[in-house]
Amino acid sequence: MIVAEVIAEKTRDSDIDKDQRFGEATSMAQKATQTVDTDISVPAGAPQDKIDAYKALLRSQAYSILGTIEFKKENFPGAQDYLQKSIDVYPSDPDPVVILRLALALDKQGKYPDALKAANRVVGMTQENTPIGTPARANATACSNSLERGPGLQLRLRRSRRLRRRTSRRCPETGLCLVSQRHRLRRGARETRQPASLPNSV
């Protein structure tokens, strides 16, 4: 699973074999989630709670790898599902990197309340000016700003601009629309205009 993790973290969009590398890492991580109960050797006399915790850690790492791959493939709903599983199967010691990726995946889907909750959780786990703390704080601020603006902000702005345009075109004395008045005057002038008559012959 170490190989799968390295591939997931190091593969870039510019790599020509990106899809192949992601496919290999996905296969390895998925296999790890299915065989974790049978592929590890347990020392004799090991406490069962320690064994269960170790298996949960391995599952968490495998789901984290799958979530990272889906995030890099821009499949944000899939990334959210795997990253949340990674956190849920090993809740005693969650990885702040996984939670930050979950916050970013939620943010990409416009799920700002959940994204803000996850980002704030990372903020509480990290220090400022650190590789994880800095982007976590930036994401928390961005989600908070999105929530404050609200989904209807653009619609309200458009309505406000239309209202200002209509108001600016009204006569301050009568309140009538100057544009409409101008159109009516032009139309009336066209209707009353008579064709020029020919001069009388001599």
Side-chain angles (χ1 to χ4, degrees):
M1 195 152 59
I2 295 177
V3 175
E5 185 174 7
V6 171
I7 293 174
E9 294 291 345
K10 299 298 184 182
T11 300
R12 299 289 180 262
D13 286 338
S14 57
D15 295 338
I16 59 175
D17 58 345
K18 175 186 67 175
D19 293 337
Q20 178 183 349
R21 290 165 64 85
F22 279 157
E24 293 172 355
T26 297
S27 297
M28 287 185 279
Q30 287 177 339
K31 181 180 179 181
T33 63
Q34 299 165 0
T35 61
V36 66
D37 290 324
T38 58
D39 283 3
I40 63 172
S41 57
V42 179
Q48 187 60 44
D49 60 335
K50 300 294 184 182
I51 298 173
D52 293 340
Y54 182 62
K55 291 179 179 180
L57 174 61
L58 293 178
R59 286 193 179 91
S60 178
Q61 291 174 344
Y63 285 132
S64 173
I65 293 168
L66 293 169
T68 299
I69 293 171
E70 294 306 315
F71 186 90
K72 289 190 173 184
K73 291 165 63 177
E74 298 187 356
N75 176 18
F76 300 118
Q80 175 190 343
D81 182 55
Y82 281 127
L83 294 169
Q84 188 63 60
K85 285 181 178 179
S86 175
I87 297 168
D88 291 342
V89 298
Y90 196 60
S92 60
D93 189 19
D95 186 346
V97 175
V98 175
I99 303 175
L100 177 57
R101 279 207 177 105
L102 174 62
L104 295 172
L106 292 165
D107 187 7
K108 293 290 187 179
Q109 299 175 77
K111 299 179 179 181
Y112 301 123
D114 293 334
L116 178 59
K117 182 179 179 181
N120 282 334
R121 186 178 178 185
V122 183
V123 169
M125 300 169 66
T126 59
Q127 300 294 324
E128 293 185 27
N129 301 319
T130 59
I132 303 301
T134 298
R137 284 159 177 78
N139 182 244
T141 300
C143 291
S144 179
N145 291 339
S146 297
L147 286 172
E148 289 177 2
R149 289 194 299 268
L153 174 65
Q154 296 302 321
L155 177 60
R156 293 195 298 272
L157 289 175
R158 287 195 295 270
R159 288 175 176 173
S160 177
R161 284 194 291 267
R162 286 198 297 268
L163 179 60
R164 286 197 299 270
R165 286 197 296 269
R166 288 197 297 267
T167 303
S168 64
R169 294 176 182 178
R170 292 185 181 278
C171 174
E173 295 180 358
T174 64
L176 297 176
C177 178
L178 297 176
V179 177
S180 298
Q181 283 185 310
R182 188 161 57 249
H183 288 329
R184 284 196 293 270
L185 290 172
R186 288 176 179 174
R187 186 168 59 251
R190 286 197 300 270
E191 291 173 354
T192 58
R193 186 182 302 131
Q194 299 295 328
S197 57
L198 294 174
N200 295 328
S201 58
V202 178

